[in-house]
Amino acid sequence: MSDTHVTAPTQYIEVDGDRFAYRRWGKPSGVPLFFVQHFRGGMDNWDPLITDGLAEGREVILFNGRGTASSSGTPRNRIEDMADDIAAVIRALGLEQVDLLGFSIGGIESQEVALRHPGLVRKLLLIGTGLRGGEESTDTEVPGYALNPVPTLDDFLYLFFGRSEAARQAGKAFWERRHQRVDQDPPSSPELMNAQAEAAHTYAPLRPGETPFVYLNAITQPTLVINGENDVMIPSINSWHLAQNIPDAQLIIYPDAGHGAQFQYPERFLKHAVQFLDE
């Protein structure tokens, strides 16, 4: 029987003295799809409907960064170091090239991988993510939900989904899907949360005299940017800036959706992602 999201074994690979947890399954043809997760998230924060759907046509690799959930080590507090860890794990797995799917802070890390290690990346899929010099959230409710020590369904509904009843029902369905696996990753530590918050804060400001977003011109990989129309965590306008400044980028905005638009519209997202990756 082939592995799936709920059965693929957790494996470990040692890089620079620490063990990085990963799960790998799917159809071994072409370039694997490497997933980089959101703030505080681990391998079990992905949607099985999406990961298994994408695995029908390619290998998928879920990964926990240094100090995240079941990975060992001291969490990184710089985006650049997180990107170098991703590149090191890709190489340690014996892969010459991957497609990167980065969500939220994982999308920022993925951009940096493409900038620092361009030969490793074939295509980029950036979801609900930001960029250096981008607009920050002005929603005063976000910290209370995002920094809850044990994230709840209500936290995910507020941060990731739209405000309609249909959006809430889609959020509840996602919550059930993401808890299907029996041997779930342990929660990430407070140290990981603090390190990631510091990394995002110190990466974001523009450098003195820097023209906003021009650094993105150096990302030459085909890129698909996806977001909801009202991302309360990383304002949706940042997705527009990504699409305008990455030379070969396209943008899709999902209606009545928030930060986790792909979880609200998983079937629609699968069609868009597969078309993009297969082109």
Side-chain angles (χ1 to χ4, degrees):
M1 179 177 175
S2 299
D3 283 324
T4 67
H5 183 101
V6 299
T7 64
T10 299
Q11 304 179 69
Y12 299 89
I13 191 161
E14 185 168 326
V15 177
D16 297 333
D18 283 315
R19 294 202 318 162
F20 288 80
Y22 71 98
R23 297 177 189 149
R24 182 176 183 177
W25 77 99
K27 183 179 179 181
S29 61
V31 178
L33 180 60
F34 195 95
F35 288 67
V36 189
Q37 186 56 289
H38 65 71
F39 181 67
R40 300 172 63 192
M43 294 184 290
D44 290 307
N45 291 98
W46 294 110
D47 187 336
L49 196 157
I50 289 174
T51 56
D52 284 336
L54 289 168
E56 290 180 6
R58 72 210 77 246
E59 275 194 298
V60 299
I61 300 171
L62 312 186
F63 144 91
N64 286 338
R66 194 183 300 265
T68 300
S70 49
S71 289
S72 71
T74 301
R76 298 292 204 183
N77 61 359
R78 295 178 70 249
I79 295 294
E80 294 86 350
D81 293 335
M82 297 175 182
D84 288 345
D85 278 346
I86 292 168
V89 168
I90 291 168
R91 292 189 177 103
L93 290 171
L95 301 172
E96 295 183 0
Q97 198 172 49
V98 299
D99 294 326
L100 280 180
L101 187 157
F103 174 34
S104 192
I105 193 173
I108 300 174
E109 295 169 51
S110 297
Q111 294 168 49
E112 196 63 27
V113 175
L115 290 166
R116 296 169 71 85
H117 308 276
L120 286 180
V121 183
R122 186 187 70 129
K123 291 186 178 183
L124 281 173
L125 213 168
L126 305 176
I127 311 170
T129 193
L131 68 172
R132 280 203 297 107
E135 295 188 25
E136 298 183 359
S137 175
T138 58
D139 189 318
T140 57
E141 299 294 321
V142 163
Y145 288 98
L147 302 180
N148 191 343
V150 181
T152 67
L153 170 60
D154 285 341
D155 297 331
F156 274 85
L157 290 176
Y158 187 86
L159 296 171
F160 282 17
F161 294 89
R163 297 294 176 251
S164 70
E165 182 57 29
R168 288 183 58 83
Q169 292 304 316
K172 292 176 181 178
F174 159 74
W175 187 257
E176 291 182 4
R177 292 194 302 272
R178 65 146 289 203
H179 286 97
Q180 289 174 0
R181 188 178 174 106
V182 175
D183 56 331
Q184 294 261 317
D185 246 353
S188 292
S189 67
E191 290 76 18
L192 183 279
M193 178 178 68
N194 293 334
Q196 288 189 335
E198 181 182 349
H201 177 73
T202 57
Y203 184 76
L206 291 173
R207 295 166 182 138
E210 182 181 8
T211 301
F213 319 135
V214 71
Y215 75 97
L216 292 169
N217 296 170
I219 296 179
T220 59
Q221 290 87 350
T223 301
L224 176 61
V225 184
I226 289 179
N227 207 341
E229 67 175 353
N230 183 28
D231 187 336
V232 297
M233 295 194 72
I234 302 177
S236 303
I237 188 63
N238 292 299
S239 294
W240 170 258
H241 293 315
L242 285 167
Q244 285 291 291
N245 290 277
I246 296 174
D248 187 5
Q250 56 187 304
L251 171 64
I252 301 176
I253 296 290
Y254 291 169
D256 180 34
H259 189 59
Q262 74 281 13
F263 300 148
Q264 185 170 328
Y265 295 98
E267 293 89 354
R268 184 181 301 188
F269 171 78
L270 270 175
K271 292 178 180 177
H272 288 149
V274 168
Q275 180 183 22
F276 168 72
L277 292 170
D278 287 348
E279 284 178 346

